[in-house]
Amino acid sequence: MQFPNIENMKKILSFILSLVLLPFLGFAQYDGEFVKPKNGRFLLQNATIVTVTNGTIQNGSILLANGKIQALGQQVDAGDAEVIDCTGLFIYPGLIDGGSRLGLVEVGSLAETQDYAEIGQVTPNMEALVAVNPNSVAIPVTRVSGVTTTLTMPSGGLFPGTAALINLNGYTPDQMYAGFKGVVMNFPSSARRSTWDRRSDDDIKKEFEKAQETLNEIWEKATTYHRLKTAGAALEYYPEMEHLSKVVAGELPLLVEVNAATDILKAIEWIASKEVKAILTGVAEGWRVAEQIAAAKLPVVTGPMLSIPTRQSDRYDAAYTNPGKMAKAGVKVAIRANDAENTRNLPFNAGFAAAYGMGKEEALKAVTIYPAEIFGVADRLGSLEVGKDATLLVSTGDPFETRTQIRHVFIDGYRVPMSNRHIKLYQEFLERSPGLEKN
Amino acid sequence: MKKILQAFLISLLPMSWSVAQTPTGSVLIKNAHVLTVTNGDLEGTDVLVENGIIRRIGKNLSAPASVEVIEANGMYLMPGIIDAHSHVALDAVNEATAPITSEVKMADVVNPYDIGLYRALAGGVTISHAMHGSANAIGGQNITLKHRYGSGNPEDLFMKEAPRTIKFALGENPTRVHGRGNGIQPRTRMGVDAVIRNGFNEAIQYKKAWEAYNNALKVRGATPVPPKYDERLETLADILDGKIIIHCHSYRADEIYGLINTCREFGITNIVFSHVNEGFKVAPELAEYTMGASVFADWWAYKFEVYYSTAYNAAILTRNNVITSINSDSGELIRHLYHEAGKAQRYGELNDQETLALITINPAKQLGIADKVGSIEVGKQADLVLFNEHPLSIYAIPQMTFVDGVKYFDINADDNDMRLRVSASEVVEPIFLKEHEHRCMHGVDFFFTNFGRSLFNHSH
């Protein structure tokens, strides 16, 4: 009789052990397994690649490595990369939302979770990036839609703070930071805040004029501060002016929130007179003064399209057609959902813009390359090109269509889990156990 | 005396005549891709409408020379969209003065001039359920409207065939308004349940008192004293008798389940839950004991009771055989319910038929009007909408909308200014940055902490 050697014994033993443990290992899948964002080398193979800037590639592949797009084309060598078959699927650059409150609020009505509006009219030094909660439940809910990047903005007074562009993956604000900041300014408004703003026409006019005066005074202060600072004067600690002086110096752009047509014209004038680098945001009535915006060569971030017309006499589709009309006049238009937890509706806003005059190609650019250019990050984001960040989505079709499924999302080279609380609840409750009867 | 009565009745005749007659139209829509919702899709098909009713569906139909013929050229024809939860065309929404205000009627505050009606028509919506707000545990009686925009008479908008419905509300809104706002019951979900039970029990007592009185009357020579008439309790008694459908604002699974139990106890089966963000957690119960759920496509996290929501709600409910609809509760959303429904394909992959049912036949069932509207079938009212592309495509644009065969929206005949009335005192037209009307908490927003200053708030 041949005695089994020790190596074989080990093999047999581990086989028996695995048989015993198998049920437990199986159970472990239900209890405790967590899919983490995964970094590595990936080859997305055999897809239709919509590059945005260089046309569409059929049967193409993309190699992702070190957080970047390393190769892209019809012949890409996989090397040691993990291959993900994308036959029949489409690859688009990650969608960029031009303005939201994502990460700055968890539950809309609860003051304890509202971190977007500080006390005071002039608080430009309030940094949105500081308050971004990387673990907000809304972040994974948003990113599985292919919205990978958003400009998260403070709101409130005249200068409510500094907005930051963030990628929707990472455990610290710095890991999420996508390379752009801008100081938010709410340009004095002659419009009513909402349909239950009951101020008289006279009061609105007075408040508008007063706000305009205040704005000019503050700006005068900021330029004076900047002048003294560059002249080397010893200045008292004045964080608000210190921050605004960066805008005066052109280090930070102004994000000028303005919506009513007459206000837009005044804002254009104001921006020109102060020679400040600016981006117009909101711009709900942009279509009324599109030529003037184009002539001023100011980029625009507008949205949501899914909102009612600003005037009762307007055509029912005024908000749907607004971005298309501005784009036709020659304005560079980016789109925002202007939401928090439902920033995932960005592609649908773009879809409405496309249907109502903007066209699919321009609308796609309005959520990819245009915001990237407007925010000065087009070297990293906004299109599928070699050398750019590995930030993209893989879908079953046009990401603007509701019937399309988003299959994979990559952010900064990380393959993010296609799961979130909404999906987990779906998995738990589609077929509830117990159902109606317990037994 | 008899003559006077006769003369009085005759004088009433033309009035009742004019009230009964709302305009109906005849039209032949040729060569459309007909999405019937209940009988599949029919390519290259004609639909003949006569006097507001769908008379024939088929190929190569003809119509009398006087009837307008519309060449659809393969465009998509679907039933008029029905919104089971709306506050459009209402001058007031909340009578927030008591936890039970079942005597209040939204029919009394219908504003036929609301531009929101036209905007809804431009989004293919032909019927909306104009509801009381959510401030009270038992709110007012709602009114089902047909969007016959153009008449100055509120009654012309009423869908007279529709059964009576009433608004209930659970959770944060009634407890905030009454408990925290006014220091009276209910302040908790226990209190909401108690308020509703008390209401039902009082109505039972009230019914018994009237029964006793009516029985006493039958005794010869008896002169019983009648009980005090109470419109509030009359209405609650009608709910118990199954004459009124409850549409209940609700979010959390526990409160939904609780009201299902209360209704079962009182023998009430005519109940639809509205919003129902956590309805998916009690889908088997909703399927078994109710007329279903009317939900938002994707709204969540705007208040704590909707934090544990999922956009897959409509899909889970549908798969569990709950009659499910998608509503607007908003003058903005009502303009693109076809898109809101489409989200049930992103979140849960419902097929086209199931998805279109969410905004047509299912809300019709929940409003008790499914035998009249909600699908394209011979004999049904001709509420129709024509789209240039499949209505579940993001690129679809409504082209024409018909109510009772009358065209109320035509994209090619759409003027910029579709207002019916302009205020004489209005010198400069106001510009609004955000719509804040037409919602559940309209009129009681001071109970919220934010005072609506932000551009982001939903407060439903």
Side-chain angles (χ1 to χ4, degrees), chain A residues 354-370:
Chain A
Y356 286 85
M358 195 179 209
K360 292 181 191 183
E361 203 173 310
E362 194 73 4
L364 180 60
K365 287 181 175 173
V367 290
T368 53
I369 192 67
Y370 288 164

Side-chain angles (χ1 to χ4, degrees), chain B residues 140-456:
Chain B
Q141 297 176 53
N142 314 307
I143 179 83
T144 301
L145 301 178
K146 282 204 130 186
H147 293 172
R148 301 182 185 109
Y149 187 66
S151 167
N153 181 357
E155 288 195 30
D156 285 348
L157 272 66
F158 297 175
M159 184 174 183
K160 297 219 166 52
E161 309 90 321
R164 293 163 69 197
T165 65
I166 191 164
K167 176 73 172 268
F168 277 38
L170 310 176
E172 288 183 19
N173 290 3
T175 54
R176 175 190 292 120
V177 171
H178 297 288
R180 285 193 273 152
N182 300 330
I184 58 169
Q185 212 183 68
R187 187 153 61 186
T188 63
R189 285 181 172 80
M190 299 183 286
V192 174
D193 181 61
V195 164
I196 292 169
R197 278 169 183 281
N198 290 345
F200 287 158
N201 280 318
E202 274 185 51
I204 289 169
Q205 286 180 352
Y206 179 78
K207 265 171 68 171
K208 277 186 185 155
W210 274 98
E211 274 162 22
Y213 168 72
N214 286 327
N215 287 335
L217 272 183
K218 287 172 194 159
V219 179
R220 267 183 86 89
T223 55
V225 181
K228 187 180 161 199
Y229 180 81
D230 188 323
E231 182 79 16
R232 188 175 286 184
L233 294 175
E234 283 284 329
T235 309
L236 296 183
D238 285 347
I239 294 172
L240 294 170
D241 290 343
K243 294 177 187 164
I244 301 179
I245 304 170
I246 299 168
H247 278 247
C248 184
H249 164 112
S250 55
Y251 288 115
R252 259 173 40 183
D254 50 1
E255 66 194 19
I256 296 162
Y257 184 73
L259 186 60
I260 288 175
N261 277 348
T262 302
C263 283
R264 290 179 70 196
E265 201 180 308
F266 285 90
I268 296 166
T269 53
N270 288 343
I271 180 162
V272 176
F273 285 88
S274 204
H275 306 330
V276 220
N277 275 47
E278 288 192 11
F280 65 93
K281 294 181 179 172
V282 285
E285 288 78 12
L286 282 167
E288 184 74 15
Y289 303 117
T290 76
M291 290 170 68
S294 187
V295 306
F296 291 127
D298 60 1
W299 285 5
W300 71 295
Y302 47 91
K303 53 176 12 186
F304 188 66
E305 62 187 343
V306 292
Y307 188 49
Y308 295 90
S309 308
T310 173
Y312 292 80
N313 198 18
I316 298 172
L317 292 167
T318 300
R319 292 276 175 259
N320 279 276
N321 301 314
V322 178
I323 299 168
T324 307
S325 66
I326 284 183
N327 68 56
S328 78
D329 191 13
S330 147
E332 197 286 304
L333 271 191
I334 195 172
R335 308 173 315 142
H336 46 82
L337 278 169
Y338 52 97
H339 165 55
E340 296 306 308
K343 290 175 182 172
Q345 301 198 308
R346 170 68 62 92
Y347 309 116
E349 300 186 70
L350 293 188
N351 66 39
D352 287 355
Q353 195 114 328
E354 290 168 325
T355 307
L356 288 174
L358 297 171
I359 50 170
T360 54
I361 193 69
N362 289 359
K365 286 175 185 168
Q366 293 171 337
L367 296 174
I369 51 176
D371 56 331
K372 310 278 191 310
V373 292
S375 62
I376 299 181
E377 287 179 68
V378 170
K380 279 200 170 180
Q381 295 174 4
D383 295 357
L384 302 163
V385 49
L386 195 62
F387 281 85
N388 61 341
E389 296 196 30
H390 193 287
L392 296 176
S393 166
I394 195 81
Y395 305 113
I397 298 176
Q399 304 293 305
M400 295 178 191
T401 308
F402 301 84
V403 179
D404 301 323
V406 179
K407 200 197 300 172
Y408 285 90
F409 168 72
D410 185 339
I411 197 165
N412 296 312
D414 178 70
D415 286 329
N416 275 339
D417 188 354
M418 292 304 292
R419 289 176 297 175
L420 297 174
R421 196 172 65 168
V422 180
S423 166
S425 64
E426 185 179 298
V427 185
V428 184
E429 194 194 350
I431 300 164
F432 300 113
L433 297 185
K434 186 80 179 169
E435 177 243 8
H436 269 282
E437 308 280 0
H438 308 142
R439 332 159 295 140
C440 259
M441 283 305 272
H442 180 61
V444 286
D445 281 292
F446 50 88
F447 293 108
F448 284 89
T449 48
N450 287 334
F451 294 91
R453 289 203 56 187
S454 84
L455 285 168
F456 293 80

